[in-house]
Amino acid sequence: MGTGRTSRGGPSTATPAGRPYPPISAPPHAPTPTSSPPPSETASTSVTKTVNGSHHFKIAGYSLAKGIGVGKYIASESFTVGGFEWAIYFYPDGKSAEDGAAYVSLFIALASEGTDVRALFELTLVDQSGKGQDKVHTHFGRSLEGGPYTLKYRGSMWGYKRFFKRSGLETSDYLKDDCLLVNCTVGVVQSHTEGPKIYRIPVPQSNMSQHIGHLLSSGKRTDITFEVDGEMFPAHKVVLAARSPVFRAQLFGPMKDKNMRCITIEDVEAPVFKVTLLLFCFILLNLHSFLSHLEVAAAVVLRDPLDVVLDSNPL
């Protein structure tokens, strides 16, 4: 079984097989290639759509509502669409004095605070005979030359002063049991800009150090042993080589000793070496903080060769 020996302050001795360890030195730093970054390209999309909502308004006692006066209305309960409050206004005697109560008027009004609210509207007087001959005025499903209607402020309305001639309404299938049914649909126009979609996948915190720790503690598949103050500390060459270019050269380089199975460390207490080996193999983030409490004792370990090992792997 090959054995290496490390003494404080002195060079490494040769193995029984007569092969010296390779010189211990920090690996040279490879130059960092420089290149110009690729041109930046970005994209975005402006999306404009409507947020739609409907309200059903039943006007019961139509004959009793007549005669309330021109310009006076019966209002529905307010309802919310697109973040704004809306209400239906029905004028039994009409909205305009010039018509002399010959027509009923029907409007949809902005009932909450708002400025330049753009929307599409639909007002429907329901045919209560079941024939489906509803009277519909709508913005939906057709091209609007001037675009959606804009309501400037609270109280602004869209609708018809001459929605239906009153004499014709009272003899039609729209009036049944002295009741009228009005359906209203509002589509509030909203716009927003979309950038590239970013999908976030939560990544759990790495527990690789725990796995390496369990592997080291179990002693399974170890292929190198440190002898310190009479105690044996098994380890894994591949882990040591992954953590240090010095160990990588010593254990796997061209001057490696295939028969080496043990490295002897002198002038170091076994508990101190055990903690340092654990910290070294686990890649703990608080290595330097922990070593500050072991400053005096660990200084011996961090000389030859472990000082080069740790210094070449800053955390």
Side-chain angles (χ1 to χ4, degrees), residues 231-253:
E231 292 191 34
M232 310 301 289
F233 298 94
H236 301 83
K237 290 181 181 180
V238 67
V239 176
L240 297 173
R243 290 288 289 125
S244 165
V246 176
F247 275 140
R248 185 160 56 250
Q250 184 174 353
L251 300 175
F252 297 100

Side-chain angles (χ1 to χ4, degrees), residues 84 110 112-118 150-154 156:
F84 298 95
L110 179 62
S112 62
E113 296 299 330
T115 302
D116 295 332
V117 180
R118 302 174 69 237
T150 301
L151 286 81
K152 295 293 187 179
Y153 44 82
R154 180 177 183 175
S156 297

